[in-house]
């Protein structure tokens, strides 16, 4: 027999069902919390170690080793068509230390960034011989490095290109897809910035393979120095539109004379605004190497902001 109580129970159950369905259909950026902090490390060879960097237990923390590059490690580096070699400070950021930081901090994950700006004083160009050969070489060489260093993901930071956007999209998209399907990595990110050529390549990748990319480490510090809070928020919305559905991270650089919105001019105020609006996908800093001399002041501040529920 149908009673008012039965009807109310059925209505409540149906409502809960549809709410759960709606949550499951939301993109990761909308359905997950924004307590992700990411830190590039190892590019400057100044002796910084994982254990030097403060880790707040209230955040998801990703160290990103900078860099692995598909170039030879000789005095005059040349492209290797997807055969990646280590170009970070592997003496201080070794496999043993990678394993140790993950044991000490269960919330820590590790990734490796691919490419970067330069190698041996020259531009680190993306130079594939063919899509198939580059992807095969990249999967093989990166799988070896990832397993050796106990890594969990990759970050793509090519900034110079000797290939068209479609070729870049196919190479990187297939690489990420194969590494995920084989269980070698659990996440992937890209690190574009507001340059016409860079954006053409990364937006082509996003259009075709955005579903396999978890985070967008947009280099907001590549904008002009003296950026204001209102300009930063406008830039953030523009990139959120470009990489629609993506989890966009805010960013600063701790190198000398960085661009973008500085902490002194309101970076963390802008991040609080984005967090309240539900837009902040996390914060990343370039880089631990240059933060070391200041006692990781902004790493502490960023993690404090992210770890507070609001």
């Amino acid at each position: 027999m149908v009673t008012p109580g039965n009807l109310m129970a059925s209505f409540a159950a149906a409502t809960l069902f549809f709410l759960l369905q709606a949550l499951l259909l939301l993109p990761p950026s909308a359905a997950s919390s924004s307590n992700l902090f990411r830190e590039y490390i190892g590019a400057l060879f100044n002796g910084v170690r994982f254990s030097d960097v403060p880790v707040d237990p209230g955040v998801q923390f990703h160290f990103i080793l900078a860099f692995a590059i598909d170039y030879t490690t000789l005095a005059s580096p040349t492209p290797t068509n997807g055969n990646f070699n280590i170009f970070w400070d592997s003496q201080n950021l070794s496999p043993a230390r990678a394993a140790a930081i993950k044991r000490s901090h269960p919330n820590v994950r590790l990734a490796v960034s691919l490419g970067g700006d330069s190698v041996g004083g020259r531009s680190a160009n993306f130079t594939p011989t063919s899509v198939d050969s580059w992807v095969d070489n990249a999967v093989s060489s990166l799988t070896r490095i990832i397993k050796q260093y106990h890594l969990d993901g990759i970050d793509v930071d090519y900034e110079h290109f000797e290939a068209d956007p479609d070729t870049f999209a196919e190479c990187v998209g297939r690489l990420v897809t194969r590494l995920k399907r084989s269980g070698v990595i659990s996440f992937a990110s890209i690190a574009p910035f507001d340059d016409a050529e860079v954006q053409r390549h990364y937006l082509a990748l996003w259009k075709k393979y955005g579903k396999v990319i978890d985070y967008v480490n947009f280099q907001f510090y590549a904008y002009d120095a003296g950026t204001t809070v209102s300009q930063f928020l406008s830039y953030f919305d523009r990139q959120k539109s470009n990489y629609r559905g993506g989890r966009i991270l805010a960013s600063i650089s701790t190198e000398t004379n960085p661009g973008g919105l500085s902490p002194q001019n309101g970076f963390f105020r802008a991040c609080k605004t984005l967090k309240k609006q539900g837009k902040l996908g996390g914060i990343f800093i370039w880089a631990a190497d240059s933060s070391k001399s200041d006692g990781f002041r902004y790493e502490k501040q960023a993690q404090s902001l992210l770890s507070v529920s609001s």
Side-chain angles (χ1 to χ4, degrees):
M1 179 183 292
V2 178
T3 67
N6 294 145
L7 286 172
M8 289 298 292
S10 298
F11 178 77
T15 301
L16 178 60
F17 173 79
F18 286 115
L19 282 172
L20 289 172
Q21 288 292 99
L23 284 172
L24 288 172
L25 291 172
L26 287 171
S29 57
S32 56
S33 61
S34 58
N35 69 337
L36 176 64
F37 178 75
R38 314 188 88 200
E39 175 97 282
Y40 288 87
I41 189 169
L44 303 185
F45 287 80
N46 69 346
V48 69
R49 297 179 178 179
F50 299 118
S51 56
D52 295 332
V53 184
V55 175
D56 187 319
V59 303
Q60 303 172 65
F61 193 113
H62 291 181
F63 281 110
I64 306 176
L65 291 160
F67 293 94
I69 313 175
D70 53 333
Y71 270 67
T72 62
T73 56
L74 303 175
S76 298
T78 55
T80 58
N81 189 40
N83 284 303
F84 282 85
N85 289 301
I86 291 169
F87 283 84
W88 70 78
D89 183 0
S90 57
Q91 181 174 346
N92 286 293
L93 301 167
S94 64
R97 291 194 171 114
I101 195 66
K102 292 174 77 172
R103 285 195 304 269
S104 300
H105 299 281
N107 58 322
V108 165
R109 299 293 180 268
L110 303 178
V112 58
S113 189
L114 312 181
D117 176 53
S118 63
V119 55
R122 306 174 184 177
S123 294
N125 290 309
F126 177 73
T127 314
T129 301
S130 70
V131 172
D132 289 341
S133 63
W134 188 92
V135 172
D136 285 344
N137 291 338
V139 167
S140 176
S141 59
L142 287 172
T143 296
R144 184 183 68 253
I145 292 171
I146 289 165
K147 290 183 175 179
Q148 180 185 3
Y149 279 83
H150 315 284
L151 308 182
D152 305 285
I154 64 170
D155 173 68
V156 180
D157 186 27
Y158 282 103
E159 302 183 2
H160 308 281
F161 308 91
E162 294 293 337
D164 62 79
D166 288 339
T167 299
F168 177 71
E170 282 302 316
C171 286
V172 173
R174 291 188 197 180
L175 169 64
V176 173
T177 300
R178 284 178 58 177
L179 290 176
K180 280 193 167 186
R181 283 179 178 170
S182 63
V184 174
I185 63 171
S186 58
F187 60 81
S189 58
I190 55 175
F193 56 95
D194 198 16
D195 169 88
E197 184 71 1
V198 169
Q199 290 281 60
R200 275 195 294 271
H201 284 76
Y202 282 94
L203 288 172
L205 170 62
W206 185 259
K207 182 178 180 180
K208 189 161 187 180
Y209 288 98
K211 62 183 180 297
V212 299
I213 297 166
D214 302 279
Y215 314 111
V216 180
N217 281 14
F218 201 85
Q219 299 182 47
F220 288 102
Y221 46 83
Y223 285 106
D224 291 341
T227 295
T228 65
V229 169
S230 61
Q231 286 174 325
F232 178 88
L233 294 173
S234 175
Y235 297 153
F236 192 96
D237 284 341
R238 184 185 308 165
Q239 301 313 326
K240 192 168 180 62
S241 175
N242 283 337
Y243 298 92
R244 189 172 300 277
R247 188 168 173 177
I248 315 297
L249 281 77
S251 59
I252 54 171
S253 168
T254 55
E255 290 191 318
T256 305
N257 300 319
L261 176 61
S262 69
Q264 294 83 358
N265 289 338
F267 173 77
F268 290 109
R269 182 155 45 91
C271 287
K272 288 178 182 177
T273 297
L274 292 170
K275 186 177 180 182
K276 288 179 181 177
Q277 294 172 345
K279 297 177 181 178
L280 185 64
I283 297 172
F284 81 86
I285 292 180
W286 175 274
D289 312 55
S290 47
S291 299
K292 184 179 179 181
S293 61
D294 196 29
F296 304 100
R297 172 184 177 186
Y298 298 124
E299 282 79 357
K300 295 172 184 174
Q301 193 169 347
Q303 291 179 78
S304 177
L305 183 154
L306 293 168
S307 66
V308 175
S309 297
S310 61

